Amino acid sequence: MKKILVTGALGQIGSELTGKLRAVYGADNVIATDIRSNESDVVFDGPFEILDVMDDKKMHDIVKRNKVDTIIHLAALLSATAELKPLLAWNLNMGGLVNALEVAREENCQFFTPSSIGAFGPTTPKDHTPQDTIQRPTTMYGVNKVSGELLCDYYYHKFGVDTRGLRFPGLISYVAPPGGGTTDYAVEIYYEALQKQKYTSYIGEGTYMDMMYMPDALQAIVSLMEADPAKLIHRNSFNVTAMSFEPEQVAAEIRKHIPAFTMDYQVDPARQKIADSWPNSIDPTAAKEEWGFKAEYNLENMTVDMLEKLKAKLNV
Ligand code: VAH
């Protein structure tokens, strides 16, 4: 990767990935784009352009003008929003992906886009979900992710585009709050523990989902994109995870630092239904064996870092 275009750079992943890529490859070598602008480091610390990923001509122009050799395509609607607006999700998630893949094909760019544990469904083995298994998701987001995995493999086999992807679990971060996800409770709980010493979870007790702290997710993207292609048996997309927990476990970890913290439940049936269709835990063996995936954070040290960083951010 030498000259990188990031779409959806102001989203939960992009807000931190852009800074990491600029630190590794040089600020001027990472062109951040999003459908809107804001007052963040992503906009001020390096090249930034407004880009709607449905505008294939503008995307192509930005790539040619900047001699981009790598496209990191993040722009997409997440699971809960996609379930509320399924046709918009199909059009944006798939239309944007096709546009980005076509530009990567025409301009010979390496390509990354995230998949998700949402690419699995109720008939997928729920525990230690294998890399290669049944994928019959029952959400529009999951249909988008499975379709995206297949499309990215197609562009590799048919056109030789160097496509690579990761099936991310829920990502936990303190920079940009997630928007429209099912796993967002695992981010909200930290904010509200500090601000209110209590949290009402919309995901029910005992609902296990895979999770990962954002620093591990960012490193996984860079490591995968730098991996020796000769060693990649899989490409789109690798299971990656750092931990699997249910709401009571993250509440108990927070209580070690905020003893007065309490949590109750007001389950959101829509997001609970999505969560119930996903695995309890996935198996990241292929990622470990093919490109050395390793997570540094678990629930304990992530909670220490999240609370420390959020205390500073929230000034509490
Ligand atoms: C979501 N955070 O909840 C995303 C992610 C595995 C979950 O794909 O939609």
Side-chain angles (χ1 to χ4, degrees), residues 186-202:
V187 177
E188 294 169 358
I189 192 169
Y190 287 99
Y191 280 83
E192 299 200 15
L194 288 166
Q195 292 171 317
K196 303 176 185 170
Q197 288 72 54
K198 67 183 174 75
Y199 179 65
T200 298
S201 175
Y202 61 77

Side-chain angles (χ1 to χ4, degrees), residues 11-12 15-16 40 172-177 191 214 306 310 313:
Q12 186 195 16
S15 298
E16 297 191 59
S40 70
I172 295 166
S173 61
Y174 58 85
V175 175
Y191 280 83
M214 187 61 81
M306 269 295 274
L310 282 176
K313 177 178 177 179

